[in-house]
Amino acid sequence: APRAYRISLFFPFYAAILCFLQVRKSHCVVLGLKGARHMGHEEEPVASPSEKTALLREARKILLLSFLFAVLATALCYLFF
């Protein structure tokens, strides 16, 4: 495939890595960014500011790691395949 098309692999890599990290860490990024957690079948807002900060930090960490690994995987495909 032409090299330009290989850059489009970033999106499936990002989605796959994001899902994997969320499952691995048992943390939903969307709920973490909203300052809530999943309790049973409902989402529950977190009252503690320190816990909200921790949820937000973990969500941002997962997003950043997903982005970095997707860039790495895309670069490897771009350069070697």
Side-chain angles (χ1 to χ4, degrees):
R3 287 188 174 221
Y5 291 133
R6 294 180 201 157
I7 293 175
S8 67
L9 290 173
F10 171 81
F11 299 107
F13 282 143
Y14 181 74
I17 295 167
L18 179 63
C19 290
F20 174 77
L21 289 177
Q22 287 184 89
V23 169
R24 179 87 173 151
K25 294 185 176 271
S26 298
H27 185 82
C28 178
V29 170
V30 173
L31 290 177
L33 292 173
K34 287 172 42 176
R37 66 181 141 183
H38 185 70
M39 300 301 289
H41 295 287
E42 302 174 355
E43 73 178 60
E44 176 182 292
V46 176
S48 167
S50 62
E51 194 173 348
K52 273 187 183 179
T53 304
L55 287 173
L56 184 60
R57 186 179 307 122
E58 187 67 26
R60 287 180 178 167
K61 180 180 172 185
I62 290 172
L63 289 171
L64 179 63
L65 284 173
S66 299
F67 178 79
L68 293 176
F69 281 123
V71 167
L72 177 65
T74 304
L76 290 174
C77 286
Y78 183 80
L79 295 173
F80 296 113
F81 295 106

